[in-house]
Amino acid sequence: MSSNLANEPARVAEMFRKMVLIRSFEEAAGEAFHAGHVRGSVHQYIGQESIAVGVCANLREDDYLTSNHRGHGHSIAKGADPRAMMLELFGRVGGTSDGKGGSMHIADFSVGMLGANGVIADGCTMSVGAAQAIRLLGDDKIVVNFIGDGGINRGPFMEALNWAKVYELPVLFICENNQIAATTTTHLVTAGEGIAARAESFGMPATTIDGNDLFEVDRTVARVVAEIRTGGGPQLIQAMTYRLRGHFAHDEAGYRDLAEVEAALGREPIARTEAWLLENGMTADEITTLKAEADSEIIGYVEEAMNAPWPDGKLAFSDVQDVGAPSYPGADQ
Amino acid sequence: MTAMTYAEAARLALQEEMARDPKVWALGEDLGYEGGMAGQYDGLQAEFGSDRIVDTPISESTIMGAAVGAALAGTRPVAEMRFSDFAMCAVSELVNQAAKARYMFGGQARVPLVARMPIGIRGGIAAQHSQSPEAWYVHTPGLVVVTPSTAADNRGLLKSAIRCDDPVVYMEHKGLWGVVGEVDEDDEEPVPLGVAAKVCSGDDITIVSWAAQIGVAALAADALVEDGISAEVIDLRTLYPWDRDAVMNSAARTGRLLVVHEAVRIGGFGGEIASDVAETLGIPVARLGGERIPIPFSVPLEDAYKIKVDRIVARVRELVA
């Protein structure tokens, strides 16, 4: 590790704490789903935590982030409140959307998190628009768009890359290449040389990194964000990673070779970051305590969510629109 | 009062709103040099710059998606789609994103965008440039749907649409671009959304319509005078929310309702109005709308699709007899 981060073990420990918190959140969300407490679908971010954390450690709170269906990790890393997120997964009052959105529609506009998204690659087009707004308003914010490898075959991805480059907008596309789109191996359905080559074909700089290496993510994103913020135009980073779980919590990923999963476990980001911290002054006891605290924090949110009040049905009729707002049919009862 | 075309009135509205609010901007294909399909953006890029009148690639998904992102990030974009037919390439961005962001995010977001997508038959541009899909968007929670029929309304309603904090689907009718109307340039007040206009008063039947079809309905009302039938014609102007009070009050008084629209009758918005009036007032109701065929090219074929004056007159005679 030649990174100057070697002089910043406290900063690494803080990033590690966020990674562990995301892992705890996702494990708890999966358990709550299997126990029948969380409905719908839960797309876990397990195995990719170093990407969200390494990216967001280099963003300002007022920078924008657009996400996808696998957005819990992005949200926590950007600063969304995991307590409100857990309440949202449980569909309770106090959730990030008071139960209107659920897992796929987590957002926290107070920290620039403009929303997870249930439609693959729609976040790409929204990102270039947010960047146009930044330009129009004369700000120096940037926009980060997280997309998966499956998303690069949708038209909006290619439209948005072209658009971002044509107008030299301050957008950083992070393609988390976990190599599988739901149950389909991505390279089998993707022509050409892949994600970075697609960006380069638009004249957009693209960097491919080991997304499970927190230090490489941190170092690369720090450089790229500085270039974008000072007017260098859009860039794409392809972060190679591996989705350690199924597409969603009820997918046991039986379509995968167990040897491949075993190999991936050896490269997973939390253990790798932990090894670095042990070599750089953190004790095993401190790490155990840090993990226990994260688990305890998340379990507290789960217990709170289990007992939190359900939203009143009439809440379903609010925040649809101002002009022609619907009325609650039970209002007079 | 100044005589100006429907397109010129819309241009005036956008110019006034852009001068009034620096957060208002427009994006779409061919807005600069061409000035939009009907000149409705003429000269605005020279006046406001290419950062506020943005010429875009042919990327409908991103025109609409960028408008959503820009609205979430604090500006008021006008997304020009050129044809409602082309806007179908951006339905996900409009229906899945714009219409739902506020709701899905529990009220954290507002999406103050205008999705400007001209509808209707202009003559000879056939099946992919002539559709009237307003019912699609009336059906979508979160959206406001506007269909101006006069120059004055195109100015006043576009101003309201731009100032609205909800996403507005703004459907100008291509057949009206060159139609001249009187506009009071000194009166910069917007026309309120959701308020119908009475085109002519009558006692025997209420005819409800919108966009270019309103002109046909008005001609039919004139023709019906010879039969001794007095028809009241109501221009809805906004389809969602539609001015239910105005329609109910009129229909309750005349005792009969006919809804006429250029859009396909089956599944058209006329069905909603007719059934609501029938359920509420128990009076005779009827609909006229296009047959369920693509809009054809050749003159006699296109004419066969249109709802012309004689068909409205004939239907009213049956209802009043």
Side-chain angles (χ1 to χ4, degrees):
Chain A
M1 299 288 171
S2 60
S3 164
N4 55 13
L5 292 173
N7 301 320
E8 295 184 309
R11 181 166 178 273
V12 177
E14 176 53 24
M15 290 196 283
F16 180 69
R17 193 190 65 76
K18 278 213 161 171
M19 290 166 61
V20 169
L21 193 67
I22 292 169
R23 179 73 58 95
S24 297
F25 185 95
E26 296 292 55
E27 296 283 13
E31 283 167 24
F33 175 85
H34 288 297
H37 300 307
V38 170
R39 64 209 301 265
S41 59
V42 169
H43 301 81
Q44 291 158 298
Y45 194 63
I46 290 170
Q48 305 181 202
E49 297 90 343
S50 47
I51 305 172
V53 170
V55 169
C56 292
N58 290 286
L59 299 180
R60 301 195 317 225
E61 189 175 80
D62 65 349
D63 286 330
Y64 293 126
L65 185 156
T66 61
S67 171
N68 53 22
H69 55 291
R70 201 175 303 288
H72 302 164
H74 308 147
S75 302
I76 292 173
K78 190 67 173 70
D81 176 10
R83 174 182 168 275
M85 288 172 58
M86 191 62 80
L87 285 162
E88 186 63 27
L89 263 58
F90 277 72
R92 307 300 174 106
V93 170
T96 45
S97 304
D98 273 332
K100 282 200 176 91
S103 165
M104 281 187 287
H105 305 300
I106 303 280
D108 186 344
F109 279 59
S110 72
V111 294
M113 200 309 189
L114 301 185
N117 208 310
V119 182
I120 300 294
D122 270 11
C124 302
T125 62
M126 291 161 65
S127 297
V128 300
Q132 299 236 204
I134 289 169
R135 174 164 295 172
L136 198 64
L137 299 172
D139 291 333
D140 69 343
K141 301 174 189 177
I142 73 161
V143 187
V144 172
N145 169 234
F146 283 96
I147 182 173
D149 44 283
I152 73 159
N153 287 321
R154 277 212 71 218
F157 168 76
M158 284 170 271
E159 283 191 12
L161 254 61
N162 176 66
W163 186 297
K165 184 59 188 170
V166 163
Y167 301 113
E168 295 290 356
L169 293 169
V171 184
L172 171 55
F173 297 96
I174 304 280
C175 184
E176 297 181 273
N177 186 351
N178 66 22
Q179 305 164 54
I180 194 154
T183 67
T184 302
T185 302
T186 305
H187 76 82
L188 297 178
V189 292
T190 304
E193 299 300 313
I195 295 156
R198 287 196 183 173
E200 285 162 354
S201 77
F202 292 107
M204 185 184 298
T207 311
T208 296
I209 60 174
D210 177 356
N212 286 11
D213 180 341
L214 175 68
F215 303 95
E216 190 174 354
V217 177
D218 184 36
R219 195 164 58 232
T220 308
V221 173
R223 168 181 65 78
V224 170
V225 164
E227 289 168 3
I228 293 173
R229 202 183 299 284
T230 51
Q235 296 196 36
L236 180 141
I237 294 173
Q238 172 179 218
M240 301 304 298
T241 186
Y242 193 84
R243 195 189 73 204
L244 288 174
R245 299 292 167 85
H247 173 56
F248 32 45
H250 49 294
D251 168 21
E252 297 187 0
Y255 42 85
R256 275 204 307 223
D257 183 356
L258 281 180
E260 179 185 301
V261 180
E262 280 296 314
L265 277 170
R267 299 189 303 271
E268 73 91 14
I270 288 187
R272 286 168 70 176
T273 311
E274 184 175 329
W276 185 92
L277 285 166
L278 285 169
E279 285 172 18
N280 287 273
M282 206 163 179
T283 67
D285 280 352
E286 285 171 334
I287 285 173
T288 304
T289 302
L290 183 152
K291 288 182 171 178
E293 284 173 355
D295 277 340
S296 160
E297 177 182 342
I298 296 296
I299 288 166
Y301 300 148
V302 169
E303 285 170 357
E304 185 181 349
M306 297 266 282
N307 297 304
W310 292 98
D312 190 300
K314 76 173 74 153
L315 197 66
F317 293 79
S318 65
D319 276 320
V320 177
Q321 57 195 113
D322 292 332
V323 179
S327 53
Y328 178 52
D332 298 331
Q333 291 166 9
Chain B
M1 297 293 254
T2 308
M4 65 176 75
T5 66
Y6 182 81
E8 286 164 348
R11 181 195 168 283
L12 176 63
L14 184 57
Q15 183 183 36
E16 287 171 340
E17 292 307 300
M18 289 184 71
R20 177 179 173 272
D21 182 351
K23 292 188 172 70
V24 176
W25 62 294
L27 68 167
E29 300 153 22
D30 304 303
L31 304 188
Y33 177 79
E34 183 197 65
M37 203 174 61
Q40 72 274 41
Y41 294 87
D42 262 352
L44 296 182
Q45 192 175 64
E47 182 174 351
F48 294 104
S50 56
D51 279 346
R52 289 185 69 197
I53 297 287
V54 178
D55 280 318
T56 71
I58 303 171
S59 298
E60 285 83 3
S61 292
T62 307
I63 294 169
M64 192 77 80
V68 178
L72 293 176
T75 64
R76 307 184 83 86
V78 176
E80 174 60 56
M81 308 309 294
R82 289 177 76 78
F83 292 88
S84 62
D85 318 70
F86 298 174
M88 291 168 189
C89 301
V91 168
S92 179
E93 290 76 10
L94 180 58
V95 171
N96 284 324
Q97 309 300 343
K100 295 176 176 61
R102 173 180 176 184
Y103 189 82
M104 292 188 300
F105 304 147
Q108 296 183 62
R110 287 289 187 284
V111 190
L113 68 80
V114 180
R116 207 170 167 183
M117 50 172 88
I119 57 172
I121 296 170
R122 192 187 69 193
I125 47 176
Q128 296 174 339
H129 293 74
S130 304
Q131 297 171 83
S132 293
E134 58 265 27
W136 296 22
Y137 302 107
V138 173
H139 195 69
T140 301
L143 301 177
V144 173
V145 181
V146 179
T147 51
S149 71
T150 68
D153 281 351
N154 204 13
R155 180 195 186 204
L157 287 168
L158 185 56
K159 290 164 78 81
S160 279
I162 290 168
R163 295 184 196 185
C164 182
D165 284 338
D166 298 322
V168 177
V169 178
Y170 196 82
M171 300 176 128
E172 289 149 298
H173 193 291
K174 297 187 290 292
L176 299 175
W177 284 129
V179 175
V180 175
E182 293 292 322
V183 175
D184 180 357
E185 287 200 70
D186 296 331
D187 179 7
E188 294 198 14
E189 275 306 296
V191 172
L193 300 172
V195 179
K198 190 184 291 185
V199 177
C200 60
S201 298
D203 300 319
D204 299 325
I205 187 167
T206 299
I207 302 176
V208 171
S209 191
W210 53 87
Q213 196 68 47
I214 205 76
V216 185
L219 289 173
D222 287 345
L224 285 162
V225 171
E226 288 183 22
D227 296 41
I229 297 174
S230 151
E232 181 148 299
V233 177
I234 292 179
D235 179 358
L236 275 190
R237 304 201 286 189
T238 302
L239 301 192
Y240 192 87
W242 63 289
D243 192 343
R244 196 170 171 277
D245 287 348
V247 172
M248 292 295 172
N249 288 339
S250 173
R253 196 170 50 73
T254 63
R256 298 175 189 89
L257 175 81
L258 174 66
V259 191
V260 190
H261 53 61
E262 183 179 312
V264 171
R265 185 185 69 254
I266 295 174
F269 188 53
E272 170 65 21
I273 298 166
S275 53
D276 197 345
V277 168
E279 284 173 356
T280 306
L281 302 175
I283 63 170
V285 299
R287 294 168 296 144
L288 281 174
E291 293 303 314
R292 197 169 178 281
I293 57 171
I295 311 286
F297 167 69
S298 176
V299 170
L301 303 182
E302 192 183 85
D303 280 351
Y305 175 87
K306 289 180 178 172
I307 308 297
K308 298 198 162 186
V309 172
D310 55 349
R311 285 193 57 199
I312 300 174
V313 167
R315 195 72 184 95
V316 169
R317 283 179 185 148
E318 288 169 11
L319 287 165
V320 174

